[in-house]
Amino acid sequence: MTSPLRILTVFGTRPEAIKLFPLVHALEADPRFDARVCVSGQHRGMLDQVLAISGITPHHDLAVMQPDQTLDELTARLVTGLGRVMDAEKPDWVVVQGDTATAMAGALAAYYRKIRVAHVEAGLRSHNIYHPWPEEVNRKIIGAIAALHCAPTTVSRDALLAENVPPETVHVTGNTVIDALHWITAKIAADPSLAGGLAELEARFAGKRIIGVTTHRRENFGGGMEAIAEAVRRLAARDDVAVIFPVHLNPNVRAVMDGALGGIANVAMIEPLDYPHFARLLSLADLMLTDSGGVQEEAPALGKPVLVMRETTERPEGVDAGTAKLVGTDADVIVAEAERLLDDRAAYDAMARAHNPFGDGKSAGRICDLLAG
Ligand code: UD1
Ligand code: UDP
């Protein structure tokens, strides 16, 4: 019998952890693999929330996060730290996900050691290197290195083929975020108390239309964040609306939101929710306002209209299917688009259709088979 392939899965932020826990579970359960996990700790609290709910104990934790970290310091710490772990582990494959600094640095450190890289959620492109920033370039760097590209959809596969990535290395696997959403939904069904922490807010806002808000993108810091806060303030002035806003821990987000939205009766600014509670918020919300990548994928799966507060998206599938709409960061436009959905039943119903352009919940198994070759 051949010895199992050693797979080092590397991640560091909340969205990577959510999208990789189904793969880590699958690798751990599969005798073809010796599954090893390294977290960079690019995020701390928001990463640990996902590790706790998914039951993953990393073999390595680099704990790199610094308050208000800059991209260059962060990247330097990541490449050096992840390289050391790879020297110790000598994996057959390094798996990275998406477009964060951890994913890019993990791919680069693996390349420096000529270790094969598998890229989960490959081929997303906005075709604008400053929107989202720096994620578009991170993805392109990983795309130049990876030996296996797990594209979530045919759109992302075609983007890679258009860049002359060797076709035999590109596979449409679906996005593991749908695996994660199915897993957490089943877990909450088995134990509803896991998502029971919003009960007080649910009672306080009973009878109101709930708008869920998240924002954190670096390109929206400053003016963009202020415009988003202004839009939320104007929407929350309506009697029939309540806003639930789990505020990202990035101090550049907090400073603006605390100043602009503190003390408004219909706005609940709360700490980042763990994944079961965020899934609960998605199910409660009539509408999501977000600049998040992951929320653009989860909302369509649950039939929730999502207004995307960005100039571009590398996830056109939700927009093409009509559940997501790009609205940018002009407060007037955000308010007008949200009010159209709140006041025009036909417009709302046209967007509120559950569909799954991003996957069928079976992506992790497909990726395991590709890694096993
Ligand atoms: C990062 C990713 C972004 C991803 C986002 C998901 C990069 C360059 N950016 O952005 O692609 O969409 O995560 O949320 O990789 N902080 C905490 N505790 C935490 C997390 C963050 O205090 O658990 C604070 C720290 O002050 C930290 C700052 O937020 O320095 C920024 O964190 P960082 O990971 O650099 O950027 P994000 O904006 O979170
Ligand atoms: N999420 C969460 N709690 C929150 C906000 C978001 O668990 O309070 C989840 C959400 O369900 C999605 C992921 O975090 O799966 C998105 O992460 P984020 O928006 O931070 O990053 P992005 O997807 O934009 O890279």
Side-chain angles (χ1 to χ4, degrees):
M1 185 177 136
T2 53
S3 54
L5 284 170
R6 177 165 282 203
I7 314 290
L8 181 67
T9 305
V10 172
F11 54 96
T13 66
R14 170 173 66 193
E16 294 166 271
I18 288 174
K19 291 171 172 179
L20 283 174
F21 80 68
L23 180 61
V24 171
H25 288 170
L27 290 167
E28 283 173 344
D30 190 328
R32 292 176 294 178
F33 304 113
D34 168 19
R36 309 288 293 173
V37 173
C38 173
V39 297
S40 68
Q42 175 179 337
H43 282 175
R44 190 69 280 163
M46 287 158 48
L47 170 69
D48 292 346
Q49 285 180 318
V50 187
L51 295 175
I53 191 71
S54 61
I56 292 173
T57 307
H59 302 89
H60 304 268
D61 187 336
L62 300 174
V64 300
M65 194 189 86
Q66 299 285 325
D68 202 11
Q69 57 208 359
T70 62
L71 292 175
D72 42 10
E73 288 167 346
L74 173 64
T75 303
R77 283 196 298 278
L78 287 167
V79 177
T80 317
L82 292 171
R84 283 199 195 108
V85 171
M86 289 172 202
D87 288 339
E89 291 285 350
K90 300 193 173 19
D92 296 294
W93 284 97
V94 165
V95 175
V96 297
Q97 196 283 336
D99 52 19
T100 68
T102 293
M104 184 273 286
L108 199 57
Y111 168 67
Y112 288 160
R113 288 158 182 79
K114 298 188 179 166
I115 300 169
R116 285 178 295 177
V117 171
H119 188 199
V120 176
E121 197 183 79
L124 276 61
R125 296 289 184 272
S126 68
H127 305 289
N128 180 334
I129 64 168
Y130 294 106
H131 291 270
W133 174 75
E135 289 82 3
E136 179 77 358
V137 163
N138 285 347
R139 295 180 197 123
K140 289 172 83 116
I141 293 171
I142 302 167
I145 291 171
L148 170 61
H149 306 260
C150 301
T153 68
T154 53
V155 173
S156 39
R157 176 198 64 197
D158 292 347
L160 290 166
L161 297 180
E163 291 175 10
N164 296 322
V165 173
E168 64 279 13
T169 65
V170 181
H171 300 268
V172 177
T173 58
N175 195 314
T176 53
V177 74
I178 306 299
D179 302 37
L181 199 55
H182 288 182
W183 187 88
I184 206 70
T185 304
K187 205 163 167 74
I188 298 168
D191 180 2
S193 73
L194 286 174
L198 293 176
E200 206 177 305
L201 275 183
E202 291 175 35
R204 183 171 130 204
F205 293 151
K208 293 190 189 286
R209 316 282 294 280
I210 304 287
I211 302 182
V213 180
T214 80
T215 180
H216 70 86
R217 301 237 79 86
R218 278 179 193 257
E219 68 272 15
N220 283 344
F221 288 174
M225 288 287 157
E226 279 157 24
I228 290 169
E230 167 68 13
V232 169
R233 200 182 52 72
R234 279 159 57 184
L235 287 168
R238 289 173 55 130
D239 274 347
D240 61 337
V241 163
V243 172
I244 301 182
F245 186 169
V247 184
H248 195 284
L249 292 178
N250 194 313
N252 299 287
V253 182
R254 302 215 134 200
V256 173
M257 298 308 163
D258 287 349
L261 298 174
I264 299 180
N266 284 350
V267 180
M269 280 199 296
I270 55 178
E271 293 302 309
L273 293 168
D274 68 10
Y275 197 37
H277 284 98
F278 195 76
R280 175 75 188 152
L281 172 57
L282 283 170
S283 73
L284 290 173
D286 292 281
L287 152 70
M288 294 299 298
L289 295 184
T290 193
D291 61 11
S292 161
V295 177
Q296 285 178 66
E297 295 153 345
E298 293 160 337
L302 298 170
K304 298 294 176 167
V306 53
L307 298 180
V308 182
M309 300 183 292
R310 295 170 46 172
E311 305 302 327
T312 59
T313 183
E314 59 290 340
R315 294 166 166 91
E317 296 87 346
V319 176
D320 291 347
T323 4
K325 185 160 188 188
L326 276 178
V327 296
T329 52
D330 180 306
D332 291 339
V333 177
I334 297 169
V335 171
E337 291 290 347
E339 295 211 304
R340 198 172 66 90
L341 292 175
L342 292 168
D343 296 332
D344 178 344
R345 187 78 228 180
Y348 185 86
D349 289 344
M351 278 186 91
R353 284 179 303 101
H355 62 108
N356 263 328
F358 297 103
D360 61 0
K362 295 180 181 150
S363 303
R366 289 187 195 105
I367 296 169
C368 284
D369 289 344
L370 291 166
L371 287 167

